[in-house]
């Protein structure tokens, strides 16, 4: 049966993704195909290969090659106070509710190298809530998690981070939150005290229990609709009563499996809040 070039490439992609999953346990089979293809082709060219399937034996037998490919497949671009308007909205609309809680649990899923997590620590510190908070940062990329745990970033990124911090409504001097030394900036020790980084694969692992807030920004865009639905369901199951869910600016709950279980708190900034289950709402008695 004649096959088009496109069909053959699709078969090659499926074989590669199956091999990655069965050999190494990383499941990219439900990632959005267009960006996966771009990244696989990038590694193919770097390895001076002409066909995707030439990578198959390397994936199966060459751990170093696989680790390089894993690096290509994980887009770990991030910043402190990325999309400052999100943090400004969080400060204005979520913090007043968090202030009424004796203890606050926040999960940053897909936290990459940790900048987003430390941004939240700074924000909660400035709002006087950090001492009663526990912040979890998770990712499936162990290399990124190591950088996150160290909290050491290139000094030249501080200029962008400072501008973001100010645009996000920062209340102090951003320089108070890091120590500059030999071209690097080390996050202040107190910002690590209530922060825990851990490995978690959104495509394979279970919920994190009883979170007041789940932040997962710029991760779902890489997933197909089925995987987005299963991850959003995982977030719903990880949130406590009336918990908040924060997504990236290009991500939405529209047409998702849990869309009708959340209300919108800040539309442009993608902040949502779990609705009361219907049975609870009619019985009354819960705080708003
Ligand atoms: C573009 S970064 C976003 C970082 C940060 N949330 C932000 O918005 O700046 C996407 C992150 O998602 C992580 N990621 C992708 N697939 C994942 C999965 N299945 N489980 C956990 N993390 C995943 C990547 O390793 C990467 O660190």
């Amino acid at each position: 049966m004649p096959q088009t070039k496109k069909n053959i490439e699709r078969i090659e992609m499926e074989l590669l993704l199956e091999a990655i999953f069965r050999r190494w346990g990383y499941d990219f089979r439900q990632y959005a195909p267009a960006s996966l293809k771009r990244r696989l082709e990038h590694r193919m060219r770097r390895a001076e290969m002409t066909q995707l399937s030439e990578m198959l034996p390397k994936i199966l037998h060459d751990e170093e090659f696989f680790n390089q490919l894993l690096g290509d497949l994980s887009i770990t671009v991030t910043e402190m106070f990325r999309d400052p308007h999100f943090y400004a909205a969080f400060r204005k609309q979520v913090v007043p509710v968090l202030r009424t809680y004796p203890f606050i649990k926040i999960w940053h899923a897909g936290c990459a190298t940790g900048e987003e997590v430390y941004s939240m620590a700074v924000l909660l510190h400035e709002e006087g809530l950090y001492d009663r908070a526990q912040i979890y940062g998770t990712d499936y990329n162990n290399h990124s998690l190591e950088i996150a745990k160290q909290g050491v970033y290139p000094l030249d990124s501080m200029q962008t981070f400072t501008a973001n911090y100010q645009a996000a409504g920062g209340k102090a001097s951003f320089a108070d939150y890091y120590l500059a030394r030999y071209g690097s900036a080390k996050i202040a020790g107190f910002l690590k005290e209530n922060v825990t980084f851990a490995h978690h694969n959104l495509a394979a692992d279970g919920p994190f229990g009883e979170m007041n807030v789940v932040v997962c920004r710029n991760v779902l865009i890489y997933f197909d609709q089925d995987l987005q639905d299963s991850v959003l369901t995982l977030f719903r199951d990880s949130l406590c009563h009336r918990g908040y869910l924060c997504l990236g600016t290009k991500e939405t709950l529209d047409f998702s499996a849990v869309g009708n279980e959340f209300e919108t708190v800040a539309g442009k900034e993608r902040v949502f809040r779990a609705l009361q289950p219907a049975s609870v709402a009619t019985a009354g008695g819960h705080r708003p």
Side-chain angles (χ1 to χ4, degrees), residues 31 74-79 82 109-112 116 138-141 144 200-203 217-219 222-223:
Y31 279 49
S74 312
I75 307 283
T76 55
V77 178
T78 187
E79 284 172 7
R82 181 182 190 175
C111 70
E116 186 184 81
T138 65
D139 204 284
Y140 76 155
N141 183 320
S144 296
H200 183 279
N201 185 343
L202 290 164
R217 308 183 64 232
N218 308 300
V219 180
Y222 300 109
F223 298 169

Side-chain angles (χ1 to χ4, degrees), residues 134-230:
Q134 183 62 45
I135 312 177
Y136 301 91
T138 65
D139 204 284
Y140 76 155
N141 183 320
N142 289 328
H143 177 66
S144 296
L145 283 175
E146 278 314 309
I147 296 173
K149 281 178 198 165
Q150 283 163 16
V152 178
Y153 304 109
L155 192 56
D156 54 17
S157 50
M158 292 302 128
Q159 210 174 344
T160 308
F161 294 179
T162 303
N164 285 352
Y165 164 79
Q166 286 163 350
K171 293 182 174 174
S173 160
F174 189 64
D176 294 348
Y177 299 117
Y178 65 86
L179 189 68
R181 211 175 259 177
Y182 309 119
S184 296
K186 189 171 174 41
I187 291 292
F190 78 92
L191 292 172
K192 292 183 176 173
E193 275 168 21
N194 298 352
V195 165
T196 305
F197 289 104
H199 181 97
H200 183 279
N201 185 343
L202 290 164
D205 298 330
F208 255 56
E210 292 296 299
M211 294 293 146
N212 299 105
V213 181
V214 172
V215 181
C216 183
R217 308 183 64 232
N218 308 300
V219 180
L220 294 180
I221 32 167
Y222 300 109
F223 298 169
D224 74 11
Q225 188 61 50
D226 284 348
L227 185 55
Q228 287 189 24
D229 279 341
S230 86

